Amino acid sequence: MNLLIKGGRVIDPSQGLDDTLDVAVENGKVKEIGPGLAAPAGAEIIDATGRYVVPGLIDMHVHLRDPGLEYKEDIVSGTKAAVAGGFTSVVCMPNTKPCIDNKTVASYIITKAATEGCCNVFPVGTITQGMAGERLAEMGELKEAGCVAVSDDGRPVRNSELMRRALEYANGIGILVISHAEELELVGEGVMNEGVTSTELGLKGIPRVAEDIATAREVMLAEYTGAAVHIAHVSTSGSVQIIREAKARGVKVTCETAPHYFTLTDDAVRGYTTNAKMNPPLRESADVAAIKQGLKDGTIDAIATDHAPHHLDEKDLEFNAALNGIIGLETSLPLSLGLVREGVLTLHQLIEKMSCNPAKILTINRGTIEIGSVADITVIDPVKDWTVEAATLASKSKNSPWLGATMTGAAATTVVAGNVVFNGR
Amino acid sequence: MATEFKHKDIIALRDLSKDEIELLISTAESMREVNGRAIKKVPTLRGKTIINLFYEASTRTRTSFEIAGKRLSADTVNISPSTSSSTKGETLADTALNLLAMKPDIIVMRHAVSGAHYFLAKKVGCSVINAGDGAHEHPSQGLLDLLTMKDRFGRLDGLKVAIVGDITHSRVARSDIQGLTKMGSSIYLAGPPTMMPPGVERLGNVTVCSTMKEAVSDADVVMMLRIQQERQGKTLMPNAREYSRYFGLNPENLKWAKPDAMVMHPGPINRGVELSSYVADGSQSHVLKQVENGVAVRMAMLYHVCGGELAE
């Protein structure tokens, strides 16, 4: 399909572009960017006046639950939620059933996404076989099958020797290791951040140092082996500082945070709200400030959602029994635009963290709309006010702490490889 | 007292105002008269059904709630986990809805998960009373502690109350902190730092002391908490012997407190660990008075969640 996206504010940090321009798309590729372009033959015209036109957003941390846990989400519903949130690519974590520790599962996901999904799906394989933390997974074949990284997300590799070898082996293959950084002994049976709120509610706390120690270990192993490591969902001020210092020393470390870590504190748990239960847990205001500072100064490279769909039956429970995680694909963009409204990030920085940087970190051929590139484009309405309602969320699961909240900003049009896959709610 | 008790449920003293706490205590004081009669029964809650749903073992609290209900002429039913459907994998919500279908007026529940009662109260239309939830609150214990202190001092403001032990895992400590702070008293906490939860000084009029001596010195009340090997595990203290040496109350270190200080304990006591028998059975001990007041306090709670109306 051919398109002409007219009169929007085109922002593409990959080529230092920020101007009111037209974007012409032909045969799924960006053909031309400039003022007053003529429409390609048979092109659909999209009026982007007052809107941002940016390289398609990439969420590098998503749980699609397919195969095996389709009652929570599947590739169809998950990618629908993605494009509704403005994402043209999602990177899905391997804790499916079976998990993505072999090329067959990886191929199933890639094939199903290509035939039934609405956006690009890049799977992450496991670090260890069965995510059991004992033997390395077949990373070579996982990469050949299309995996863009490896991670035992949700089940950190406890054994430091094994993690060292995983980094070395992955580095040799040229695949990135993503770490869910938590020291599990310190997490224990904790269910929320350890602090005055956990004390008041009588809930077992998870201390920040559980994350800090694990982040420090990964950074030190990366430094020692010379391999790259990516720290998932950074939530503490300590982790931000450890990564900042490591980057200054030249360690090949990158990291992401999630919108809930820069918008909510553990106050959201009051009332034993299970939609505020996730791992790592919501922290305190000093951590929120540190996360914002880390985003601002470039310590934190990417914003990813950790979109973690769970069925109502797994959330509508007493607090300890409820599963960890919240959905995030459809609320990430407005919450992240909030950082621009607050003056934490420039628009340019925001698009880097939601598109260019994830593409660079994962070395995927996305995150740009330079001429000739795949036409993955997100058109953003920055001022649209809308209410988060369970009934209108595309995700199968509705476990969001923002149900009923008003958001400002939304995807107006989402274009994947030149096809309009979402055109507003 | 003009206060009306408007709550359907009693889940935490944190949720109650000073006036409401005073109302419950004053009602409990009048309920005691019933407990002293030869025929210990009034028709106040005749025709009401109370379910005591105890997911954790309890002798004292469950019996106390049961007696409280019966003295008010309510029909009481006890359900404990070993005999309930929970072992068959039924969720708390389903258990509650099934019980609700039998039209109880009050569910009194003890549950190991903090906050489980808020979840229950959202699911059911009947009243919910918390008989202890995880490490959150134990409001009936908090109220009976207040009543026992009031009996001794005639007031609940301006008291210095030391609470010694595992504060982290103690729902009693949290209810006492909420209740005593609202009534205008001061709480001094002592215990191994491994058992002192972060930020506890922000929960009320609380001072965290570095030694037991600092907490107990000049105290009007010394509240000792039960130490439970199964809770403290292997990492929170070396053993009961060392714990007892630094945080056990005996006739010697009780002298740090005011000469007529009250000794209290929510029970069951580990004799020789947190409390020496000389103190537990001594003249300053109010432990059994606490238990006695428990029945009156629970009668008051049952009465007020039912609207505080008499059946006569």
Side-chain angles (χ1 to χ4, degrees):
Chain A
M1 187 195 285
N2 296 342
L3 296 174
L4 182 66
I5 304 170
K6 278 180 73 76
R9 179 175 166 191
V10 179
I11 304 155
D12 181 3
S14 78
Q15 37 182 337
L17 205 59
D18 183 353
D19 214 341
T20 302
L21 297 166
D22 299 347
V23 179
V25 173
E26 200 171 77
N27 300 323
K29 299 273 171 67
V30 178
K31 188 194 174 205
E32 206 178 353
I33 299 179
L37 296 183
E44 180 181 337
I45 312 288
I46 296 168
D47 180 7
T49 309
R51 292 179 175 168
Y52 307 150
V53 179
V54 306
L57 304 181
I58 302 171
D59 188 343
M60 67 180 294
H61 195 134
V62 164
H63 297 270
L64 290 180
R65 308 298 192 204
D66 188 352
L69 301 162
E70 296 87 350
Y71 68 97
K72 298 175 194 251
E73 192 83 285
D74 61 27
I75 286 169
V76 176
S77 64
T79 56
K80 265 187 195 160
V83 299
F87 293 99
T88 56
S89 297
V90 293
V91 175
C92 64
M93 287 294 148
N95 60 339
T96 46
K97 278 189 178 173
C99 64
I100 314 176
D101 68 351
N102 62 78
K103 65 177 181 183
T104 309
V105 180
S107 302
Y108 158 80
I109 290 167
I110 289 166
T111 306
K112 182 165 176 186
T115 53
E116 298 174 46
C118 339
C119 70
N120 307 299
V121 175
F122 297 101
V124 172
T126 64
I127 296 173
T128 65
Q129 294 174 25
M131 294 179 72
E134 286 166 10
R135 293 183 68 93
L136 295 180
E138 294 168 349
M139 293 184 199
E141 282 204 353
L142 286 168
K143 189 185 176 191
E144 276 182 34
C147 289
V148 295
V150 289
S151 175
D152 278 5
D153 187 57
R155 291 174 69 178
V157 177
R158 288 192 187 207
N159 180 330
S160 298
E161 205 271 333
L162 184 63
M163 191 62 177
R164 172 213 168 149
R165 299 305 179 193
L167 288 166
E168 288 175 339
Y169 190 84
N171 192 37
I173 288 169
I175 194 166
L176 179 70
V177 175
I178 299 176
S179 169
H180 173 127
E182 268 196 317
E183 215 290 312
L184 292 175
E185 304 295 344
L186 279 167
V187 173
E189 289 170 352
V191 294
M192 70 171 291
N193 178 58
E194 180 176 281
V196 65
T197 308
S198 67
T199 293
E200 183 173 337
L201 298 180
L203 292 171
K204 179 103 169 61
I206 300 173
R208 293 176 186 77
V209 72
E211 178 173 325
D212 300 346
I213 284 180
T215 301
R217 183 193 76 166
E218 311 306 39
V219 161
M220 293 169 93
L221 287 172
E223 189 166 19
Y224 186 73
T225 59
V229 70
H230 178 82
I231 310 295
H233 41 54
V234 169
S235 75
T236 65
S237 60
S239 282
V240 172
Q241 185 57 23
I242 288 163
I243 294 164
R244 181 180 290 126
E245 288 166 7
K247 283 187 164 186
R249 290 200 302 278
V251 180
K252 286 189 242 166
V253 57
T254 54
C255 70
E256 76 201 24
T257 192
H260 40 278
Y261 300 122
F262 57 75
T263 52
L264 298 176
T265 65
D266 62 3
D267 260 349
V269 177
R270 285 179 190 282
Y272 300 90
T273 306
T274 58
N275 278 343
K277 183 181 179 186
M278 70 282 289
N279 192 25
L282 296 173
R283 306 287 184 181
E284 296 180 34
S285 53
D287 298 286
V288 170
I291 296 290
K292 287 181 181 174
Q293 183 55 39
L295 284 162
K296 190 183 178 80
D297 68 22
T299 302
I300 301 176
D301 305 273
I303 296 169
T305 63
D306 196 5
H307 178 80
H310 288 302
H311 194 274
L312 182 67
D313 290 347
E314 298 163 328
K315 278 294 196 182
D316 188 23
L317 292 170
E318 52 273 34
F319 197 82
N320 288 13
L323 296 185
N324 282 313
I326 58 168
I327 55 169
L329 281 166
E330 294 170 78
T331 48
S332 178
L333 178 57
L335 294 167
S336 301
L337 282 167
L339 294 172
V340 177
R341 291 190 289 266
E342 280 179 54
V344 175
L345 295 181
T346 64
L347 205 46
H348 179 101
Q349 285 176 308
L350 181 72
I351 303 309
E352 281 185 324
K353 291 177 201 300
M354 296 187 77
S355 181
C356 313
N357 291 351
K360 264 188 234 162
I361 292 166
L362 298 164
T363 59
I364 54 177
N365 186 21
R366 292 292 191 283
T368 180
I369 49 170
E370 64 190 4
I371 290 165
S373 62
V374 177
D376 285 1
I377 301 169
T378 304
V379 181
I380 299 167
D381 180 344
V383 294
K384 180 181 175 165
D385 289 327
W386 61 283
T387 303
V388 183
E389 287 169 290
T392 53
L393 289 173
S395 178
K396 270 190 200 178
S397 293
K398 313 298 177 188
N399 51 315
S400 168
W402 289 287
L403 290 177
T406 300
M407 299 270 156
T408 299
T413 306
T414 308
V415 176
V416 174
N419 295 306
V420 174
V421 289
F422 176 76
N423 211 358
R425 278 179 201 281
Chain B
M1 206 172 308
T3 312
E4 261 187 274
F5 196 84
K6 288 178 179 157
H7 299 272
K8 174 178 84 82
D9 313 304
I10 301 176
I11 298 177
L13 295 192
R14 187 187 50 214
D15 303 336
L16 302 182
S17 68
K18 182 184 178 191
D19 286 350
E20 288 164 338
I21 290 172
E22 280 177 344
L23 176 64
L24 284 164
I25 289 172
S26 99
T27 305
E29 285 173 319
S30 56
M31 289 293 181
R32 278 199 293 222
E33 183 268 324
V34 175
N35 294 330
R37 294 182 191 174
I39 308 293
K40 301 184 200 54
K41 208 175 191 66
V42 289
T44 310
L45 296 185
R46 192 174 56 202
K48 303 284 186 188
T49 304
I50 301 170
I51 296 176
N52 292 319
L53 178 60
F54 275 62
Y55 281 92
E56 281 188 329
S58 161
T59 306
R60 189 184 332 259
T61 304
R62 188 187 55 69
T63 309
S64 184
F65 267 111
E66 186 178 357
I67 290 174
K70 287 183 166 155
R71 290 203 176 149
L72 294 171
S73 300
D75 298 306
T76 61
V77 181
N78 298 320
I79 302 172
S80 57
S82 54
T83 57
S84 81
S85 302
S86 67
T87 47
K88 297 174 200 158
E90 189 176 52
T91 65
L92 173 58
D94 278 336
T95 301
L97 292 173
N98 278 280
L99 293 175
L100 194 68
M102 301 177 212
K103 311 242 181 293
D105 298 281
I106 304 173
I107 295 176
V108 176
M109 183 170 80
R110 170 168 288 190
H111 200 281
V113 175
S114 300
H117 296 74
Y118 292 105
F119 175 76
L120 179 71
K122 265 188 271 179
K123 296 282 172 194
V124 301
C126 71
S127 290
V128 172
I129 291 179
N130 182 3
D133 63 325
H136 174 226
E137 280 219 36
H138 192 348
S140 64
Q141 182 73 39
L143 290 168
L144 72 88
D145 288 344
L146 290 175
L147 175 58
T148 310
M149 290 178 213
K150 193 181 175 203
D151 286 344
R152 168 74 180 70
F153 297 105
R155 65 189 163 92
L156 287 169
D157 59 328
L159 301 176
K160 177 181 177 181
V161 180
I163 304 180
V164 181
D166 181 355
I167 310 300
T168 299
H169 292 101
S170 179
R171 52 196 176 210
V172 176
R174 284 176 181 73
S175 284
D176 284 346
I177 288 169
Q178 294 292 342
L180 286 164
T181 298
K182 282 176 178 160
M183 304 316 290
S185 286
S186 311
I187 302 99
Y188 291 76
L189 302 177
T194 50
M195 304 179 191
M196 197 60 70
V200 68
E201 66 281 353
R202 285 155 63 188
L203 298 195
N205 191 8
V206 173
T207 305
V208 176
C209 303
S210 48
T211 62
M212 180 170 170
K213 183 172 186 179
E214 194 186 328
V216 171
S217 292
D218 296 316
D220 297 294
V221 180
V222 182
M223 172 84 63
M224 301 303 295
L225 300 178
R226 174 178 167 77
I227 203 80
Q228 287 164 287
Q229 287 285 358
E230 68 273 18
R231 282 242 171 89
Q232 283 79 33
K234 289 176 185 151
T235 60
L236 301 191
M237 65 180 192
N239 53 33
R241 178 178 172 274
E242 173 143 321
Y243 179 87
S244 171
R245 182 163 165 199
Y246 294 100
F247 296 101
L249 190 67
N250 55 53
E252 289 310 307
N253 59 20
L254 179 56
K255 288 175 188 161
W256 295 333
K258 286 191 179 149
D260 53 352
M262 300 171 72
V263 174
M264 299 174 75
H265 190 297
I269 298 168
N270 285 307
R271 288 176 180 265
V273 183
E274 72 270 4
L275 202 54
S276 97
S277 286
Y278 297 108
V279 177
D281 304 331
S283 60
Q284 288 171 263
S285 172
H286 290 253
V287 173
L288 295 176
K289 183 73 181 162
Q290 288 174 271
V291 179
E292 183 186 334
N293 279 337
V295 175
V297 156
R298 289 169 180 123
M299 289 166 77
M301 293 168 84
L302 296 171
Y303 170 73
H304 281 295
V305 296
C306 278
E309 288 164 26
L310 300 177
E312 283 142 311

